[in-house]
Amino acid sequence: MKPPTAPLWLARPSRFAALPAGQARIVLALLAALLLGSFTVLALPAPPPGSATPQSDVALYEGIVSAVAHGEDYYRAAADALRAGSYPLRPFLTFRMPGLATVQAALPPLAALVLLGLLAAATAYAWYRRLRDAVARVPALLAALFMLTAGMLAFVQPGLIAFHEIWAGLFVALSLALRRPGRWIEAAAVALIAMLIRETAALYVLVMAGLAFAEGQKREAAGWGAALGIFALVLAGHAVAVHGVTGPLDAASPGWAGMHGFGLFVRAMTLATGLTLLPAIAAAPLVALALFGWASWRDPLALRAGATFCAYALVISLFARLDTFYWGLMIAPAFLIGLVFVPDGLRDLLARALDTRRVRVQRVER
């Protein structure tokens, strides 16, 4: 086997640098399939007329915050707002958990904006610290920070401050950056906050707990499991509270079994990041390449980030409806950083896949 060549941008060789030729060809074929699959977004229909939009959802949440600020009970205010907007009230998951609205109602608007800005800055700084150790050259670090900025464009918009995915997505990204081998308590605590804001963050915690268990890190796995246990108790209380303000005549959700495939994940990540500035035909392969890039970086952080992104890709592909593409905001902040790892990964993968040399052994008899 040809020895690995020096990395282009990474500080260490990519995951594919020492891959056998046969396995490299399989990975290359999977990458080609992923790229082709990304173009299914072009055949994806638009959300049905009259469906909720992020803008209408933001208006809904702002109305709830205003009502709570004026002394109304959160669950009664949320139920009234959902009915007034013709939103479904069943099952209980159609209600957002009360934490974010309660905090925002207790703070002046400017203070809430400052908190969001501080959270975004802390997330960006945490990722800067991780990325400066991952890349070998300043241009690569600048490119990584540019991709981080492109992923966080939606997260610094004051008009989206009441949107739960904005806060939860930043907490998930911060948790990912904080977790290091042997140091996970801060990451688990931050992830718990994300779950208490938006319950879909539990998928990230499940991934982290599963990987810790698979690696034999029993104490860490138990820590992530404890965070899930606390979340489950709070969610149960939330369900009871919602039951107290709803009835059988309230509208029910159409469900979450969209089955729209990988194209909807591509659309979700395009609309959630700076890729929305590009035509769909150009943005689609970049989403696929970002996933490939995360698979290329040989690092515990890359394993957890890539597994998290793949888990959300699967859930969005199978369960998200056309009007719930904003689930992609849960993983958007760090997602595009994967593009920085593509040059090394693709170069190494092609080198291994095209390596056709054979070792010949000759026996000389005297």
Side-chain angles (χ1 to χ4, degrees), residues 116-128:
L116 181 61
L118 290 174
L119 176 59
T123 303
Y125 179 69
W127 274 99
Y128 162 74

Side-chain angles (χ1 to χ4, degrees), residues 271-288:
L271 296 177
T273 65
L275 294 180
T276 191
L277 301 175
L278 300 177
I281 195 170
L286 293 179
V287 173

Side-chain angles (χ1 to χ4, degrees), residues 3-347:
T5 54
L8 295 172
W9 278 16
L10 294 178
R12 295 185 300 166
S14 75
R15 189 183 303 276
F16 307 124
L19 207 61
Q23 295 181 18
R25 291 167 191 148
I26 293 174
V27 174
L28 198 58
L30 292 174
L31 174 59
L34 188 66
L35 287 168
L36 289 175
S38 69
F39 289 107
T40 58
V41 67
L42 302 177
L44 203 64
S51 59
T53 64
Q55 292 77 17
S56 61
D57 287 348
V58 168
L60 170 73
Y61 303 141
E62 288 177 342
I64 295 172
V65 170
S66 177
V68 174
H70 286 83
E72 289 191 40
D73 172 72
Y74 168 78
Y75 287 99
R76 181 60 61 188
D80 292 343
L82 289 168
R83 291 190 186 100
S86 299
Y87 285 86
L89 284 81
R90 296 181 296 125
F92 72 93
L93 292 175
T94 58
F95 282 67
R96 296 292 181 263
M97 298 179 75
L100 181 61
T102 302
V103 171
Q104 288 186 336
L107 295 175
L110 180 59
L113 281 174
V114 170
L115 278 180
L116 181 61
L118 290 174
L119 176 59
T123 303
Y125 179 69
W127 274 99
Y128 162 74
R129 292 188 62 186
R130 300 305 301 270
L131 292 170
R132 69 183 181 184
D133 298 328
V135 297
R137 296 172 177 82
V138 172
L141 179 59
L142 293 177
L145 294 177
F146 176 79
M147 294 303 172
L148 177 65
T149 302
M152 294 180 62
L153 285 180
F155 296 82
V156 292
Q157 296 184 24
L160 297 178
I161 192 171
F163 209 60
H164 293 72
E165 281 80 0
I166 293 298
W167 293 83
L170 286 174
F171 277 117
V172 167
L174 178 59
S175 174
L176 260 176
L178 289 176
R179 190 271 171 193
R180 293 177 182 268
R183 183 177 175 180
W184 53 268
I185 295 177
E186 301 94 332
V190 170
L192 176 59
I193 298 174
M195 289 191 291
L196 295 179
I197 294 175
R198 189 67 168 99
E199 64 279 358
T200 49
L203 179 59
Y204 159 69
V205 181
L206 283 170
V207 170
M208 298 295 278
L211 288 174
F213 182 80
E215 293 175 350
Q217 304 293 332
K218 296 182 179 179
R219 180 175 296 183
E220 180 180 352
W224 291 103
L228 283 169
I230 295 172
F231 164 70
L233 290 175
V234 175
L235 189 64
H238 175 65
V240 172
V242 170
H243 182 73
V245 296
T246 57
L249 298 181
D250 284 316
S253 169
W256 296 277
M259 300 295 290
H260 291 291
F262 186 63
L264 185 56
F265 174 73
V266 173
R267 174 183 288 178
M269 299 317 300
T270 299
L271 296 177
T273 65
L275 294 180
T276 191
L277 301 175
L278 300 177
I281 195 170
L286 293 179
V287 173
L289 287 173
L291 288 174
F292 170 76
W294 282 110
S296 302
W297 184 23
R298 190 175 57 184
D299 189 271
L301 172 57
L303 173 62
R304 281 156 175 78
T308 298
F309 299 151
C310 288
Y312 277 90
L314 180 63
V315 167
I316 292 174
S317 299
L318 295 179
F319 302 112
R321 302 190 305 268
L322 292 172
D323 59 347
T324 54
F325 57 84
Y326 53 80
W327 289 3
L329 288 168
M330 295 298 298
I331 57 171
F335 180 76
L336 293 181
I337 296 173
L339 291 172
V340 177
F341 311 129
V342 170
D344 283 86
L346 191 57
R347 189 275 307 268

